[in-house]
């Protein structure tokens, strides 16, 4: 396959590693100069915009495809035998050898051609998409994607994909802002804001003179695979301005909720970041085929020995007996049996022996394998239980040669969005002024009941005095006990997309009769205002109004406000329009709120706020965010119902809901004017100081909050996901989640789909926490170089991994059988030896045989059998457990960044050693590793960190990799696949273009025919309609295929033995 890889790299014309440049004019391109609106036509020889994902070209198909086929050792033997059959001394006709060989070769070539033609068809469709291109004279004309060049000015309209990586010049949106959806890059469906530089806002598509006269020079970094970084300088109108990620529009992302944008082509074709993250299509072979190759070589050695012995004996007898062997027709005229030339007779006898004994290696085995695999593929395709009626899709088998691999999978790498979840958020519960509202059973509760796992806090958690409501009674404090079998989300007449709330005390305008009606009104008023959602639809049709928000849960909160009479229908840069309908039958009232400032949400802030002036003149700050950050900023004198809200959100989190706290602050006019002036000045700063200064001012005004309540939003899983995950885990299969989502979101989904469980300790290795930020702050103060900052961050990640490794090795018997007496890793040892050591164990109970049913509960790769209503493993005798205080970045809190009750344990070596002396905990501890993409970048760069990372993962029950790029997904998959060795197979499953690299890197790739396009399904070896079908694909068809192929191989092995005896 080296030839294919070289061909792919040559075709790409660029290196794919981050930080490496493209070869341009014979030298590495570390930076590039772009003349905007003056396209490159040979000056720099940048790559064109035509892309190709094909494995073969027209001229290379036959030789390369035959090379792939001849990776099977038996084909070389059969070809040699076919050649010998053409000799005049051959004992039988050549046709009997050539026909079967041609049959299996043609069948393989046709399969390769079919798959490559499918790729070519997709490439052709993509390259021929139209785009509006500026012709240099003020006019836009239609052009094909493939014809674009670096420096071209193009116009992209709402809903269209970007044809290449573009520098945003202007937008029809306010203040040069546009919204993009990056689903195909990172799997996220939430919208992301991009903003053009202020100096180019005035360049629009209507003024021909401005378009014609627009010229600028962009100096930026060379092509690289980093999706989240970009740096450059734009020289325009005698000014030099910095540009960064907010000005870059990436190929494979799409424009949303914006009329149109103008952009300059920066990277084209295989230089774009999405293509830099792609990997060449691999050629995969099953372990059965590889095993058969070894058997074939062994049998061929035996055949050579038999043929040699035959030739020697014939030569000796000919020399001794001569013409007495009459049946051989020994005459001088017979050149192949001349008694005077015994040596030649021996040589001819040797080759005759090879041909005669050739049936010891039966070509019928390979013909039968091809036919059986095709029949098995037909069984899978026509399995009605793997048919998805929603999409009208059946299962697809694209690599029948890997059928039997499905029955040997050890580890599954899964995407999240669109694979485990449907990315549909529903408003489900809320707490207002200490009263909880909302009845019904969440999907997590229903899944837990089916699996026999009662939800609840860990035995190590402090237990509140109040009784936790069950699925039959959703009452907290003043809530009314209602039978959820007859009322609730299942029979909810108010249900719509984004809203699955039911409580008769609030719906149909009844909330106005509650004692705390004013607080309820204010709560939903905040939900209708505190967001960045953009309405799509007409104000006169509320039922048809749709909201495009930065996240689906934000849209769900706006839909909830609409259901309770606060209908948000219009947004301008300075105003928010809400139509109030508080009681049924009352005429609606339109209210206009003055929007002053938006403090946007980020993964570091974990909150968003707005300053707004109400119609009655009140000036307020409205906030919503994670309880871990909002509760730290409340006013002690006017805190609101903090204790009750915290307890309710804790209960919401236990049943898998994503939680937020809603708060407000009354602003003083003079203080706000002073703050607003300083905030405007901070936003005008150019450089790194801008971000830190605006964050300081946001922190300043977001102090002294008063809590109003909280929300619980349910992230809808795909049907059958929790049950499928549980059964796969019981079968001894480990499941990893690799997602582009933030850490908090991934943790919530982990709980929802049973990857994470209450009582499990989450070991979080992230460079987005307060400890990691402290390194950056110190670097700013002391003026560290970039290399020193990276060294400090790498040491931080290394320290976290060391502490996590010590914690998991001391805390319990790990699920993968690692010996705690062998936890020191030698740097000089190879990765494979380190993994082999970590797999070994001193007890017979650590046998990792695939025949798990015969082993004890503690010997499975992951034993999730239910003991006393909870997933558990057998505890180890005498192992030391580590009990640590629940901390988030060193501060005690009761929940994570989204309010979910899970413990983000601070991993401290000193505290671990101190706590370990206290003795073992009451029950064995389960661990889950959660790691972000920044940390993975350092881990994947060094072998020592890779070893440490793998051993931590092997000793954890679940692994979640968050904020990872498509290339990192592929790198992690490759790392684990190689680390686990040849005897443990990895399967990757995803549904988007960002999952293609991961799918191709795994031993077996499965694509989901979802809403994100067909890229994953085209790249996969198998394709299914829903994640739940993976259970049947592996546990039913995988077992059948592996068993039947094995039995057939054994049958031919028995024939070989019989043939050998007869011979």
């Amino acid at each position: 396959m080296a030839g294919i890889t070289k061909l792919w790299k040559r075709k790409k014309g660029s290196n794919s590693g981050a930080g490496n440049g493209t070869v341009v004019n014979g030298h590495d391109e570390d930076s590039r100069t772009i003349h905007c609106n003056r396209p490159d036509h040979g000056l720099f020889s940048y790559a064109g915009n035509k892309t190709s994902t094909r494995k073969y070209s027209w001229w290379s198909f036959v030789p390369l495809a035959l090379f792939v086929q001849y990776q099977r050792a038996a084909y070389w033997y059969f070809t040699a035998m076919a050649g010998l059959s053409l000799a005049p001394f051959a004992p039988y006709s050549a046709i009997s050898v050539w026909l079967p060989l041609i049959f299996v070769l043609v069948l393989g070539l046709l399969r390769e051609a079919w798959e490559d033609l499918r790729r070519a068809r997709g490439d052709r469709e993509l390259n021929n998409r139209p785009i509006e291109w500026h012709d240099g004279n003020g006019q836009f004309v239609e052009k094909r994607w493939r014809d674009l060049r670096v420096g071209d000015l193009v116009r992209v309209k709402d809903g269209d994909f970007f044809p290449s990586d573009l520098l945003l010049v202007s937008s029809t949106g306010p203040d040069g802002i546009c919204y993009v959806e990056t689903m195909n890059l990172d799997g996220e469906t939430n919208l992301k804001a991009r903003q053009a530089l202020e100096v180019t806002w005035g360049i629009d598509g209507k003024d021909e003179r401005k378009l014609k006269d627009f010229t600028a020079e962009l100096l930026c970094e060379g092509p690289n695979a980093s999706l989240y970084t970009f740096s450059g300088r734009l020289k325009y109108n005698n000014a030099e301005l910095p540009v960064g990620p907010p000005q870059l529009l990436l190929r494979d992302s799409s424009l949303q909720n914006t009329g149109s944008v103008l952009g300059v082509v920066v990277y084209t074709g295989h230089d774009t970041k999405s293509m830099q993250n792609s990997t060449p299509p691999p050629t995969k072979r099953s372990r059965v085929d590889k095993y058969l190759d070894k058997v074939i070589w062994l049998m061929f050695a035996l055949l050579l020995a038999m043929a040699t012995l035959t030739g020697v004996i014939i030569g000796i007898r000919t020399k001794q007996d001569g013409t007495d062997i009459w049946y051989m027709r020994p005459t001088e005229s017979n050149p192949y049996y001349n008694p005077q030339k015994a040596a030649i007779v021996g040589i001819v006898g040797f080759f005759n022996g090879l041909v005669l004994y050739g049936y010891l290696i039966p070509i019928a085995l390979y013909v039968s394998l091809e036919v059986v695999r095709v029949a098995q593929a037909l069984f899978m395709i026509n399995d009605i239980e793997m048919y998805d009626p929603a999409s009208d899709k059946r299962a697809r088998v694209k690599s029948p040669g890997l059928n039997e691999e499905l029955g040997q999978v050890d580890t599954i790498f899964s995407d999240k969005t669109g694979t485990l979840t449907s990315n549909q958020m529903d408003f489900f519960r809320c707490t207002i002024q200490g009263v909880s509202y909302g009845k019904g059973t969440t999907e997590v509760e229903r899944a837990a009941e089916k699996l026999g796992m009662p939800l609840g806090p860990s035995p190590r958690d402090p237990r509140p005095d109040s009784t936790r409501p069950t699925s039959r009674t959703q009452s907290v404090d003043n809530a009314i006990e209602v039978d959820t079998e007859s009322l609730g989300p299942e029979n909810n007449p108010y249900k719509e997309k984004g809203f699955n709330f039911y409580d008769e005390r609030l719906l149909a305008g009844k909330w106005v009769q509650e004692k705390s009606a004013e607080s309820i009104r204010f709560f939903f008023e905040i939900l209708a205002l505190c967001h960045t959602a953009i309405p799509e639809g007409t104000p006169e049709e509320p039922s048809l109004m749709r909201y495009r928000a930065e996240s689906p849960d934000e849209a769900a909160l706006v839909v909830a406000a609409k259901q309770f009479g606060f209908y948000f229908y219009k947004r301008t840069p300075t105003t928010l329009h809400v139509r109030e309908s508080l009681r049924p039958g009352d005429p609606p009232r339109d209210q206009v709120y003055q929007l002053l400032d938006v403090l946007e949400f980020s993964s570091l802030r974990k909150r968003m706020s707005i300053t707004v002036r109400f119609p009655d003149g009140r000036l307020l700050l409205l906030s919503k965010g994670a309880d871990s950050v909002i509760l730290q900023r409340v006013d002690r004198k006017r805190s609101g119902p903090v204790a009750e809200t915290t307890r309710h959100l804790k209960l919401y989190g236990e049943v898998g809901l994503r939680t937020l706290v809603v708060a407000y602050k009354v602003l003083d006019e003079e203080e706000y004017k002073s703050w607003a002036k300083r905030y405007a000045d901070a936003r005008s700063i150019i450089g790194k100081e801008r971000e830190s200064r605006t964050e300081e001012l946001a922190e300043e005004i977001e102090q002294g909050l008063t809590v109003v309540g909280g929300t619980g939003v349910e992230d809808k899983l795909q049907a059958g996901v929790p049950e499928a995950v549980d059964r796969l885990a019981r079968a001894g299969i480990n499941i990893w989640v690799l997602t582009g989502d933030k850490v908090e979101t991934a943790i919530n989904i982990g709980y929802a789909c049973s990857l994470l469980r209450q009582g499990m300790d989450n070991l979080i290795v992230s460079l987005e926490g307060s400890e990691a930020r402290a390194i950056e702050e110190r670097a700013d103060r002391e003026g560290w170089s970039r290399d020193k900052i990276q060294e400090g961050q790498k040491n931080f990640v290394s320290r976290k991994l060391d502490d996590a490794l010590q914690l998991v090795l001391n805390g319990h018997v790990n699920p993968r059988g690692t010996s705690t007496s062998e936890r020191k890793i030698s740097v000089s040892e190879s990765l494979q030896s380190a993994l082999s050591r970590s797999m070994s164990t001193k007890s017979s109970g650590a046998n990792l045989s695939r025949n798990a049913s015969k082993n004890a509960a503690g010997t499975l790769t992951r034993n999730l059998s239910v003991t006393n209503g909870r997933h558990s493993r057998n505890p180890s005798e005498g192992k030391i457990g580590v009990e640590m205080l629940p901390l988030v970045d060193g501060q005690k809190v009761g929940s994570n960044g989204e309010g979910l009750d899970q413990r983000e344990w601070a991993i401290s070596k000193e505290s671990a050693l101190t706590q370990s002396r206290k003795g073992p905990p009451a029950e064995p501890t389960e661990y889950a590793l959660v790691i972000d993409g920044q940390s993975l970048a350092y881990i994947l760069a060094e072998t020592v960190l890779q070893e440490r990372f793998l051993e931590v993962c092997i000793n954890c029950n679940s692994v979640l990799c968050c904020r990872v790029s498509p290339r990192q997904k592929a790198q992690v998959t490759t790392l684990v696949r190689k680390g686990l060795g040849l005897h443990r197979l990895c399967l990757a499953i995803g549904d988007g273009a960002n999952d293609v690299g991961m799918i191709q890197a795994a031993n077996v790739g499965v694509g989901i025919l979802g809403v994100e396009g067909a890229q994953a399904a085209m790249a996969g070896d198998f394709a299914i309609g829903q994640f739940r079908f993976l259970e049947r694909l592996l546990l039913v068809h995988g077992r059948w295929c592996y068993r039947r192929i094995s039995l057939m191989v054994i049958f031919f092995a028995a024939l070989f033995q019989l043939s050998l005896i007869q011979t």
Side-chain angles (χ1 to χ4, degrees), residues 287-345:
R287 288 195 299 181
V288 170
D289 282 343
K290 294 177 182 178
Y291 175 76
L292 282 177
D293 281 350
K294 297 178 181 179
V295 173
I296 291 299
W297 286 119
L298 180 62
M299 296 170 67
F300 184 64
L302 178 61
L303 179 61
L304 282 177
M306 294 173 61
T308 301
L309 182 61
T310 300
V312 170
I313 292 175
I314 290 179
I316 293 174
R317 288 200 60 189
T318 299
K319 186 173 183 180
Q320 292 177 350
D321 300 335
T323 57
D324 292 339
I325 311 177
W326 57 268
Y327 50 85
M328 299 295 292
R329 298 180 181 178
T331 62
E332 292 183 3
S333 61
N334 186 352
Y336 308 114
Y337 197 77
N338 188 344
Q340 305 302 322
K341 299 179 180 180
I344 295 178
V345 173

Side-chain angles (χ1 to χ4, degrees), residues 951-1056:
E951 190 159 1
V952 172
C953 294
I954 289 168
N955 286 277
C956 287
N957 297 75
S958 301
V959 180
L960 279 76
C961 300
C962 313
R963 305 299 294 174
V964 291
S965 66
R967 176 162 293 274
Q968 285 179 321
K969 287 185 177 183
Q971 289 173 334
V972 170
T973 304
T974 302
L975 173 66
V976 177
R977 174 174 57 82
K978 293 181 178 179
L980 292 180
L982 298 176
H983 302 293
R984 305 171 74 172
L985 294 183
C986 298
L987 178 145
I989 180 171
D991 71 320
N994 59 312
D995 304 315
V996 169
M998 174 179 70
I999 288 172
Q1000 293 178 339
N1003 298 102
V1004 181
V1006 178
I1008 291 184
L1009 299 162
V1011 298
E1012 294 188 27
Q1015 293 95 329
M1018 290 178 62
D1021 305 301
F1022 302 87
I1024 54 179
Q1026 295 284 334
F1027 180 87
R1028 69 178 186 273
F1029 298 148
L1030 183 65
E1031 175 195 346
R1032 184 169 179 82
L1033 185 67
L1034 298 186
L1035 304 186
V1036 178
H1037 289 285
R1039 179 180 181 276
W1040 285 350
C1041 292
Y1042 183 44
R1043 178 179 174 82
R1044 290 165 179 171
I1045 290 291
S1046 301
L1047 288 175
M1048 189 178 68
V1049 173
I1050 292 173
F1051 170 76
F1052 277 94
L1055 288 181
F1056 166 76

